[in-house]
Amino acid sequence: METVNQPSKEKVDCLALVEEEIATARKERRPMSRQALATLVHKRTNMPLKDAVSIVEAFCDEKEPGVPEYLESEFVIGWLKVLAVLQVIVGGVFFYYASRAHQRAEPIWVYLVLGTVFVGVAVLSWVKSLEQEIHKK
């Protein structure tokens, strides 16, 4: 029976597994996330994923706060910048079509709105990537 101060043997085994995996990842210099640790605990111990997540979260909050929740949050910066560049290109294409439509005396407002939206979202993506870089440091 589990008391307040004594964790169960299963939980101790899970904590040892998490500690060992973090140490191995550091030694091998490979990225590790809390989600990956929880999935590992879930697969190796057949513990429900919800319980594995709560054990890993509690352990990392207490002893390993540097372990990120998801690896995507560590690597999303580059993709936001690539996405921003692509959105500027698409916005530029819409502006080009707006100029061509203006030469033909056709309505241009649709092209201008779409171009502005794409460039605006590109600026937002770029700023978000810079904010994430600042918060990482």
Side-chain angles (χ1 to χ4, degrees), residues 88-100:
V88 166
I89 292 170
V90 171
V93 168
F94 279 119
F95 289 137
Y96 172 76
Y97 281 132
S99 68
R100 301 294 293 170

Side-chain angles (χ1 to χ4, degrees), residues 14 18 27 33 64 113 130:
C14 292
V18 170
K27 191 167 79 171
S33 69
E64 296 287 342
V113 168
L130 294 178

Side-chain angles (χ1 to χ4, degrees), residues 31 35 42 44 47 52-53 61 65 68 74 80 112 121 135-136:
Q35 182 64 36
H42 166 68
R44 287 200 186 163
M47 175 185 289
V53 168
D61 287 342
E74 294 293 308
L80 280 174
L112 291 178
V121 172
H135 290 298
K136 255 178 70 170

Side-chain angles (χ1 to χ4, degrees), residues 81-130:
K81 289 181 180 174
V82 170
L83 184 64
V85 170
L86 292 175
Q87 288 170 332
V88 166
I89 292 170
V90 171
V93 168
F94 279 119
F95 289 137
Y96 172 76
Y97 281 132
S99 68
R100 301 294 293 170
H102 181 65
Q103 290 173 352
R104 293 187 305 262
E106 296 174 352
I108 64 170
W109 67 270
V110 173
Y111 298 113
L112 291 178
V113 168
L114 289 173
T116 303
V117 167
F118 272 95
V119 171
V121 172
V123 169
L124 179 66
S125 297
W126 193 272
V127 168
K128 288 294 182 185
S129 73
L130 294 178

